[in-house]
Amino acid sequence: MKLSISDNSTNYVATVVELTAFREIPEKDRIQITVLAGNEIIISKEAKVGQRGLYFVSGTQLSAEYCYNNNLYDDKTQNKDVTQKGYLSFKNRRVRAMRLAGVISDGLFMPLSSLNYLGINELPLGSEFTHIDGNLICEKYFVPVRNSNPGGTAPKPRAFKLQDIMIPGQLRFHHETEHLSKNLGRIQSGMEIVISAKLHGSSCILSKVKTLRKLNWREKLAKMLGVKVVETEYSGIYSSGKPKSSLVKGIDNKWINEGQSFYSQDIWKTAYEDYKYALEPGITIYGELLSESIQKPYDYTKLRKEGQHYSLVVFRITRTNDEGHADEFSWNQVEVYCEKYGLQPVPVLVKTKITTEVDETFLGYLAEEYLEKKCPYSVNDVWAEGICVRTEKPYGVYKMKSKNFLLGEEKALDEGQSNEDI
């Protein structure tokens, strides 16, 4: 049996868990509370301590086959057993965070028997996957993209193919930020950490790395005759941080991605034109684009440069050499680089050294201190998204999200707002 995880769904996997404890809900005789991966979950009272099953965090999209075979659709005519009605939308199959009995339930627990349709009834505790033997079980939910060419006109032909420009290893998309609750073992007492605000926008990459040159016929001939020809050059590249298509948005004067996009305007190209002056050779800047038009109603005017209709906040910088090795900037180096070029780093809440044991109590302290707060950077009255905890040696970044933000996020997804970079 082969378990695998899709590249764009590392935070939206099925995790094999074991139920260890429950908490009663006053005046509720059919449901109870349990905690999975640090999150409170509403679960049936039929569940028992020691029972194993699958945990899906909110924002996960279950496969059509999984939903059908487990009668999970709220439209019972779409279920295998048409007499059974579930609680997932047939349109999007999305696991939702919801407030129930005064508790914000973040995710879904399903018994291992839910995999019986694949002939599976046992899996090792702690296993994580999106696919089993190539069969899709779940993945990250993406809002369907809009057609970026609504007029129906044929797109302009590309000068040459992307694979004829990009050099493998020169540009790296941003990795999915993993949940802190699943990575407590990677943080030790004595480590220096940086806790920063997690802001709600669309992630962006601005880069100036080596690409292949388009050789003219004289250069091609010279190369065939054994003459050394310069075949690479630095090019400006802009992209979303974690594009589902795994394609950049554009390469300055070389290539434009004319496929579908959620936004009607190329917000990444706009950011590139505004900030390309800050791109030294080899530099890749990872940031978040913020404006109310990107993620309503989050209006981060307080972080905006004068005269701009959006904000770019930087949370990561790397420098890539000719061989494709990328050096990660320390947070101090990020701040120095941002100051040099007039960039806005993501707001830091605290820099400190951990002096206590890193366990569930530590997680609870962070939640009490930094989560479930109103956002101080937004003009509108909205919940702050959460925090990111960064370690330097070894490098790592882990996130915690506010439960109240998750509820608002569900509403935004229902209204069709993009979660491309959530």
Side-chain angles (χ1 to χ4, degrees):
M1 182 190 310
K2 181 182 178 181
L3 306 181
S4 58
I5 298 176
S6 299
D7 289 342
N8 62 357
S9 298
T10 53
N11 274 336
Y12 301 88
V13 298
T15 304
V16 181
V17 297
E18 184 173 278
L19 303 178
T20 58
F22 304 108
R23 190 169 80 246
E24 294 291 322
I25 303 176
E27 301 180 0
K28 299 294 181 181
D29 55 4
R30 299 179 63 183
I31 56 175
Q32 57 191 340
I33 302 170
T34 191
V35 176
L36 298 173
N39 301 317
E40 289 186 324
I41 306 296
I42 298 293
I43 195 170
S44 168
K45 277 205 171 180
E46 295 180 0
K48 305 298 181 184
V49 170
Q51 179 181 356
R52 291 190 177 185
L54 305 179
Y55 171 57
F56 303 96
V57 71
S58 60
T60 302
Q61 183 180 55
L62 304 186
S63 73
E65 185 181 21
Y66 185 88
C67 291
Y68 169 77
N69 282 283
N70 286 285
N71 305 311
L72 292 177
Y73 288 128
D74 54 8
D75 179 356
K76 60 185 180 181
T77 64
Q78 304 297 330
N79 291 323
K80 184 175 183 178
D81 184 347
V82 295
T83 67
Q84 299 294 315
K85 182 177 181 179
Y87 35 80
L88 294 188
S89 166
F90 176 71
K91 294 181 179 179
N92 58 42
R93 310 186 303 278
R94 189 176 87 240
V95 177
R96 302 167 54 92
M98 62 183 69
R99 188 185 297 274
L100 189 62
V103 175
I104 298 177
S105 181
D106 183 10
L108 171 68
F109 174 83
M110 292 288 291
L112 276 180
S113 59
S114 63
L115 295 174
N116 283 353
Y117 72 96
L118 294 175
I120 297 170
N121 52 33
E122 187 174 350
L123 286 170
L125 186 65
S127 299
E128 295 186 336
F129 53 89
T130 58
H131 293 74
I132 300 178
D133 291 332
N135 296 289
L136 176 66
I137 305 300
C138 62
E139 60 187 338
K140 179 178 179 178
Y141 174 75
F142 287 91
V143 173
V145 298
R146 300 186 181 114
N147 188 345
S148 59
N149 185 32
T153 58
K156 296 178 182 178
R158 295 168 179 166
F160 47 113
K161 295 180 180 179
L162 189 61
Q163 59 263 36
D164 296 330
I165 307 173
M166 299 290 289
I167 299 175
Q170 281 289 309
L171 179 73
R172 294 169 174 83
F173 293 117
H174 186 57
H175 52 75
E176 190 80 46
T177 305
E178 296 186 24
H179 294 286
L180 179 61
S181 60
K182 298 172 66 175
N183 290 276
L184 287 178
R186 299 185 182 183
I187 303 178
Q188 306 295 326
S189 179
M191 278 186 173
E192 299 279 352
I193 64 171
V194 177
I195 301 178
S196 58
K198 194 172 192 315
L199 303 177
H200 192 39
S202 185
S203 67
C204 174
I205 294 177
L206 306 177
S207 184
K208 189 174 185 179
V209 292
K210 283 289 186 72
T211 62
L212 296 173
R213 291 180 59 238
K214 187 176 183 180
L215 304 182
N216 59 39
W217 69 268
R218 291 185 180 87
E219 290 171 321
K220 291 178 180 179
L221 178 60
K223 183 179 176 182
M224 291 176 60
L225 296 174
V227 178
K228 188 174 181 179
V229 176
V230 177
E231 298 185 59
T232 64
E233 62 186 354
Y234 283 101
S235 296
I237 302 175
Y238 51 94
S239 180
S240 59
K242 303 180 290 289
K244 187 177 181 181
S245 65
S246 297
L247 297 176
V248 301
K249 297 299 182 181
I251 303 175
D252 197 8
N253 295 319
K254 286 190 174 184
W255 190 86
I256 295 177
N257 186 340
E258 294 175 333
Q260 289 185 327
S261 175
F262 180 85
Y263 301 107
S264 58
Q265 295 182 338
D266 193 339
I267 58 176
W268 301 277
K269 188 175 191 294
T270 297
Y272 173 75
E273 294 297 337
D274 288 342
Y275 292 100
K276 62 184 178 182
Y277 73 89
L279 296 173
E280 297 177 2
I283 286 293
T284 300
I285 294 173
Y286 301 83
E288 197 84 6
L289 297 177
L290 309 170
S291 82
E292 191 174 21
S293 63
I294 294 175
Q295 295 287 5
K296 296 179 181 179
Y298 284 77
D299 185 346
Y300 294 99
T301 302
K302 297 178 183 180
L303 299 176
R304 190 172 300 170
K305 271 189 169 185
E306 186 176 352
Q308 286 191 332
H309 61 279
Y310 71 98
S311 308
L312 170 69
V313 294
V314 178
F315 56 79
R316 181 188 179 200
I317 299 177
T318 62
R319 189 186 297 275
T320 304
N321 63 19
D322 290 352
E323 287 70 42
H325 174 76
D327 290 321
E328 194 78 39
F329 276 33
S330 69
W331 185 252
N332 181 63
Q333 289 173 316
V334 170
E335 290 182 321
V336 170
Y337 195 93
C338 286
E339 184 176 4
K340 179 180 179 180
Y341 288 104
L343 304 175
Q344 171 70 55
V346 66
V348 171
L349 305 178
V350 68
K351 299 178 184 178
T352 188
K353 177 183 285 188
I354 298 176
T355 59
T356 61
E357 184 178 352
V358 181
D359 54 14
E360 293 294 332
T361 301
F362 175 74
L363 204 64
Y365 163 77
L366 292 179
E368 183 176 355
E369 188 73 14
Y370 298 110
L371 301 186
E372 314 313 325
K373 313 287 186 184
K374 290 302 180 76
C375 181
Y377 311 107
S378 175
V379 173
N380 299 322
D381 182 22
V382 292
W383 292 101
E385 179 172 350
I387 61 172
C388 286
V389 178
R390 172 179 175 136
T391 61
E392 299 286 8
K393 297 180 180 179
Y395 171 79
V397 180
Y398 313 101
K399 67 183 178 183
M400 293 181 70
K401 283 191 175 184
S402 161
K403 294 183 182 299
N404 280 293
F405 170 82
L406 288 175
L407 291 180
E409 187 175 70
E410 294 293 351
K411 181 180 178 182
L413 293 177
D414 288 342
E415 294 174 351
Q417 291 189 44
S418 174
N419 72 332
E420 178 180 3
D421 302 287
I422 289 173

